[in-house]
């Protein structure tokens, strides 16, 4: 006689809470599903699907949970300094622990080197120690018991004979197309990719086997690597794992918050004045909820951690207002009930409360020394003596330029110069910048009004016939006579404040202000050109935003100034 299956026990409230990030925070109230919902695991699977859960391998997940707790790992490559978006996975790790899961944190040091050498080999050990210390400080700051976690470094097992042999076995099966596709959203893309970047997805897939876990947890940008692992691990005779994904936190510029893109992030150890400065530059157009990095930060970081957000404002503007649902805040911002300046100030206060305990821990001489050693300041590197063979010129690269998309709000003739316009240009800051440009004889006023332009923002402000200009509109110019001039055009759909960069130079921190005597812009501008298909370039590398190439209308082969 066939045995009857035992009744299925309901999922615990803690497990429901742990898996909540995978629902992309879109829980329909019509379902009326409380976290204490009891019922069969089949019902749980149904609700999971109804709630648009980001889980690959749901059936296997349910099967494991009928027998024991889940073994799961989260990994991070030890590249640039960790930023505030790390609070998101850390809070989810806290949820997994509350659900009884066994959690491993992997410090993927070898991955950091393979990803186009984002972590130089000589700094690998120091960066890993820094990451381990700062991640533990974040966990402690939100009350996660460290003794329940297992911490592992990639090089603890990735250099073993068995692991290396599996890398070779996998490389004999994986196509170049699949490897490149899997790493497209994670591995830094450059004009001439290195072989190391193609190995990256294979190593991440093998980590699931060598860490002996049931599941891997990561952001939705890891999806292609997760599906890569599901395809290829069984080819080696290893089990297919479960994958859980949480939303990515957009950066302050509206794109993904990245450790290697300075303008998009706030570091965990940034000083209060740095936090203020970065938030001041963040894109936050009144009433615009699309690509709004400040609103996205509240939604993905502050609300999940605190379950509420307080907008601080003066009594004459309505006084403080507490929001317990993000949707209500977004609605008020869209209707311009909440001003961008008040939103930024409120985020600054809330964020500093989160960062203060971490800053305090890293205030010790030992950890200050570690930070400086892991991330040495290039400007403080000892220069070679003049006249020696090893002396090198100053590193003049495009990433030193702070170039942004701007929207022209108003255009007027200069009161004292017939050839000059005085423009107000929004570059994602609380107030528009005043820019003086000599475009009167080339571009009609009505063609500039409300137009998107490309603005160089870190030139030293300079008075032009009595009006201080706070930037330069970059334009293409014809080389012959008569001289023609066209402002550069960002890709359609760009927002004011978005970063413009040169292909291959996405990382790096722009100079706070370009020093006129150094002539950094002039040296770079000498190699600015318009290609034959009207794309702006530096040394044949395209000017880009996250939406595509920067171009001009018709001036093929022209110069840019």
């Amino acid at each position: 006689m066939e045995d009857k299956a035992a009744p299925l026990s309901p999922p615990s409230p803690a497990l429901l809470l742990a898996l909540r990030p995978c629902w992309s925070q879109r829980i329909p109230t019509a379902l009326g599903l409380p976290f204490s919902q009891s019922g069969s695991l089949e019902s749980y699977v149904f609700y999971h699907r109804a709630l648009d859960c980001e889980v690959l391998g749901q059936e296997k997940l349910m099967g494991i949970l009928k027998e024991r707790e889940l073994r799961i790992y989260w990994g991070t490559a030890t590249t640039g300094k960790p930023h505030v978006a790390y609070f998101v996975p850390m809070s989810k790790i806290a949820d997994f622990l509350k659900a009884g899961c066994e959690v491993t944190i992997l410090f993927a040091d070898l991955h950091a080197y393979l990803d186009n050498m984002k972590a130089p080999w000589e700094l690998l050990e120091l960066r890993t120690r820094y990451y381990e210390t700062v991640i533990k400080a974040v966990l402690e700051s939100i009350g996660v018991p460290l003794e329940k976690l297992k911490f592992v470094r990639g090089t603890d097992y990735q250099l073993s004979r068995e692991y290396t042999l599996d890398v070779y076995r996998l490389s004999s099966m994986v196509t170049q197309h699949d490897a490149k596709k899997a790493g497209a959203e994670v591995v830094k893309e450059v004009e001439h990719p290195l072989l190391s970047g193609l190995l990256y997805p294979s190593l991440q897939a093998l980590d699931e086997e060598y860490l002996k876990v049931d599941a891997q947890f990561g952001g939705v940008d890891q999806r292609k690597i997760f599906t890569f692992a599901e395809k290829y691990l069984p080819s080696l005779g290893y089990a297919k794992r479960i994958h859980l994904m949480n939303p990515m936190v957009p950066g302050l510029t509206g794109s993904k918050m990245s450790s290697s893109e300075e303008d998009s992030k706030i570091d965990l150890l940034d000083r209060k004045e740095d936090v203020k400065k970065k938030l001041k530059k963040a894109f936050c157009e009144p009433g615009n909820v699309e690509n709004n990095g400040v609103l996205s930060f509240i939604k993905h970081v502050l609300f999940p951690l605190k379950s509420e957000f307080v907008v601080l404002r003066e009594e004459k503007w309505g006084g403080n207002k507490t929001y317990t649902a993000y949707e209500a805040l977004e609605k008020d911002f869209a209707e311009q009930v909440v001003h961008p300046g008040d939103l930024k100030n409120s985020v600054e206060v809330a964020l500093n409360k989160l960062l203060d305990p971490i800053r305090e821990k890293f205030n010790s001489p030992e950890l200050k020394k570690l930070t400086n050693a892991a991330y040495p300041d290039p400007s403080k590197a000892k220069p070679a003596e003049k006249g020696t063979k090893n002396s090198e010129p100053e590193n003049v690269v495009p990433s030193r330029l702070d170039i942004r998309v701007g929207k022209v709000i108003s255009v007027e003739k200069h009161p004292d110069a017939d050839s000059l316009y005085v423009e107000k240009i929004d570059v994602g800051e609380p107030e528009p910048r005043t820019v003086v440009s000599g475009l009167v004889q080339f571009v009609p006023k009505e063609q500039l009004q409300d137009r998107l332009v490309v603005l160089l923002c870190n030139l030293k402000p300079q008075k032009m016939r009595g009006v201080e200009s706070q930037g330069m509109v970059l334009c293409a110019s014809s080389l012959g006579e008569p001289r023609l001039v066209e402002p550069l055009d960002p890709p359609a759909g760009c927002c004011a404040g978005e970063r413009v960069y040169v292909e291959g130079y996405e990382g790096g921190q722009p100079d706070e202000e370009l020093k006129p005597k150094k002539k950094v812009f002039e040296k770079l501008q000498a190699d600015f050109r318009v290609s034959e298909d009207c794309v702006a370039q530096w040394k044949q590398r395209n000017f880009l935003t996250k939406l595509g190439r920067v171009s001009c209308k018709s001036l093929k082969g022209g110069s840019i100034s």
Side-chain angles (χ1 to χ4, degrees):
M1 182 176 174
E2 190 178 18
D3 292 337
K4 289 185 178 179
L8 298 175
S9 58
S12 69
L15 181 58
L16 283 163
L17 181 65
L19 291 173
R20 181 176 56 184
C22 306
W23 301 345
S24 303
Q25 298 186 13
R26 296 193 298 272
I27 301 178
T29 55
L31 285 173
L33 177 64
F35 287 116
S36 59
Q37 173 73 45
S38 62
S40 67
L41 284 171
E42 282 91 349
S43 297
Y44 178 45
V45 173
F46 166 76
Y47 282 124
H48 239 4
R49 291 173 181 167
L51 296 173
D52 192 23
C53 179
E54 291 286 353
V55 178
L56 302 178
Q58 287 187 355
E59 289 184 12
K60 185 168 185 176
L61 173 64
M62 296 305 112
I64 291 172
L65 293 176
K66 284 188 283 184
E67 299 175 2
R68 58 174 173 80
E69 302 295 354
L70 196 68
R71 291 192 291 267
I72 188 168
Y73 101 87
W74 173 80
T76 179
T78 54
T79 53
K81 289 181 179 179
H83 46 71
V84 292
Y86 276 65
F87 276 110
V88 175
M90 295 303 101
S91 66
K92 308 318 172 194
I93 286 169
D95 292 339
F96 286 128
L97 288 174
K98 290 172 187 174
C101 300
E102 297 176 22
V103 183
T104 297
I105 291 182
L106 170 67
F107 297 106
D109 47 357
L110 196 55
H111 288 73
Y113 180 71
L114 291 175
D115 188 0
N116 283 286
M117 293 182 288
K118 284 183 181 176
W121 190 262
E122 63 274 13
L123 296 178
L124 211 56
E125 165 67 18
L126 291 165
R127 294 262 173 103
T128 305
R129 280 169 50 201
Y130 177 87
Y131 259 72
E132 189 167 349
T133 307
V134 80
I135 293 295
K136 286 180 178 179
V138 173
L139 289 165
E140 288 174 330
S141 73
I142 58 174
V144 178
L146 299 184
E147 63 274 11
K148 291 187 178 181
L149 288 165
K150 181 180 180 183
F151 296 93
V152 178
R153 295 186 183 191
T155 47
D156 289 345
Y157 63 89
Q158 290 168 347
L159 301 177
S160 68
R161 181 181 181 277
E162 295 79 8
Y163 188 94
T164 303
L165 195 57
D166 271 345
V167 172
Y168 286 131
R169 288 173 64 202
L170 203 52
S171 65
S172 71
M173 304 173 187
V174 176
T175 65
Q176 180 186 6
H177 171 270
D178 282 1
K180 189 174 181 180
K181 179 182 176 183
E185 293 188 46
V186 177
V187 178
K188 182 179 180 182
E189 292 190 13
V190 293
E191 188 174 4
H192 302 292
L194 300 174
L195 177 61
S196 59
L198 298 178
L199 289 174
Y200 192 108
S202 294
L203 268 66
Q204 188 165 334
L206 286 172
D207 289 341
E208 296 178 350
E209 172 64 24
Y210 279 80
L211 291 171
K212 303 302 178 188
V213 295
D214 305 309
Q216 182 178 173
F217 169 59
V220 292
D221 63 334
Q222 304 277 331
R223 183 191 303 277
K224 291 177 182 176
I225 289 184
F226 289 168
T227 55
F228 173 93
E230 291 184 0
K231 177 180 179 179
Y232 281 105
L233 275 188
S235 303
L236 296 178
Y238 297 142
K240 185 188 295 187
R241 265 56 180 199
I242 301 156
H243 296 102
L244 302 162
M245 290 167 283
N246 68 288
M248 297 303 298
V249 178
L252 297 174
T253 56
S255 58
K256 169 184 168 183
M257 190 173 287
S258 168
S259 293
S260 56
E261 188 177 336
E262 194 65 31
D263 280 352
S264 76
K265 61 167 184 160
I266 292 174
D267 287 336
L268 293 166
L269 297 182
D270 272 351
R271 300 170 303 168
K272 290 185 177 182
E273 51 265 41
D274 294 327
V275 171
K276 181 184 287 291
K277 183 169 65 176
K278 289 182 179 181
L279 282 171
K280 184 179 178 182
K281 291 170 64 177
F283 172 71
C284 191
E285 185 178 52
N288 187 351
V289 299
E290 299 297 325
N291 298 314
N292 188 320
V294 179
L295 272 179
S296 297
F297 183 78
I298 296 169
K299 177 179 180 179
H300 294 291
V301 178
L302 297 178
F303 257 106
L305 283 172
K306 297 295 184 181
S307 300
E308 67 175 28
F309 181 73
V310 181
V311 174
L312 306 171
R313 55 191 179 188
E314 296 179 26
E315 287 297 329
K316 65 179 180 179
W317 303 119
N320 297 350
K321 184 171 181 179
T322 300
Y323 291 89
T324 56
Y326 170 76
E327 292 75 15
L329 172 62
E330 184 180 279
K331 181 175 181 291
D332 277 0
F333 187 83
E335 296 174 357
Q336 300 194 34
V337 175
V338 175
H339 188 273
D342 293 329
L343 196 71
K344 289 184 177 185
N345 291 338
S346 304
V347 168
E348 181 186 341
V349 171
L351 182 54
N352 280 321
K353 286 181 181 177
L354 283 175
L355 297 181
D356 279 342
I358 304 169
R359 293 179 183 129
E360 186 177 350
K361 180 166 184 174
F362 270 77
N363 206 28
S364 70
E366 182 184 356
L367 291 182
K368 282 183 178 179
K369 183 178 179 181
L370 172 62
T371 304
N372 293 333
Y375 298 93
D377 185 348
S379 66
K380 293 183 179 179
K382 187 176 179 181
E385 292 182 16
K386 290 184 179 180
T388 65
K389 291 183 180 180
N390 293 328
S391 60
E392 296 181 0
E394 184 182 20
N395 191 25
V396 179
V397 292
S399 55
R400 293 182 63 180
L401 304 180
D402 182 5
I403 307 177
R404 299 183 226 166
V405 175
K407 182 175 181 179
V408 180
I409 296 173
S410 67
V411 188
E412 301 294 340
K413 283 278 193 76
H414 193 295
D416 298 318
D418 291 340
S419 63
L420 301 178
Y421 284 132
V422 178
E423 301 129 356
K424 294 288 185 181
I425 301 181
D426 178 10
V427 288
E429 296 172 342
E431 299 294 332
R433 292 194 178 204
T434 300
V435 177
V436 180
S437 58
L439 295 174
V440 171
Q441 26 181 339
F442 303 106
V443 184
K445 177 179 174 180
E446 57 271 17
Q447 289 185 17
L448 278 178
Q449 182 67 47
D450 298 322
R451 178 180 183 145
L452 290 181
V453 294
V454 175
L455 194 72
L456 179 61
C457 294
N458 59 342
L459 289 173
K460 184 178 180 180
Q462 183 178 359
K463 283 198 173 183
M464 299 180 70
R465 300 292 294 271
V467 177
E468 185 176 79
S469 181
Q470 299 168 322
M472 176 192 292
V473 177
L474 294 182
C475 298
S477 301
S478 61
L479 298 179
E481 295 293 337
R483 188 181 177 218
L484 302 174
V485 175
E486 296 174 356
L488 295 183
D489 293 317
C494 281
C495 295
E498 283 187 33
R499 186 182 176 210
V500 177
Y501 55 88
V502 172
E503 184 177 11
Y505 292 87
E506 296 87 341
Q509 171 80 348
D511 290 13
E512 183 69 24
E513 183 179 280
L514 296 171
K515 305 300 181 188
K517 290 184 179 180
K518 298 282 186 179
K519 297 191 178 298
V520 172
F521 173 70
E522 289 80 358
K523 292 174 183 176
L524 291 166
Q525 188 262 339
D527 293 303
F528 286 0
R529 290 289 182 275
V530 179
S531 71
E532 289 304 308
D533 52 354
C534 291
V535 176
Q537 295 183 331
W538 175 78
K539 291 187 175 180
Q540 299 183 328
R541 293 172 179 259
N542 295 335
F543 281 56
L544 301 170
T545 74
K546 64 181 182 180
L547 295 181
R549 302 183 300 181
V550 173
S551 60
C552 70
K553 186 177 180 180
S554 64
L555 299 181
K556 300 178 181 180
S559 62
I560 297 173
S561 58

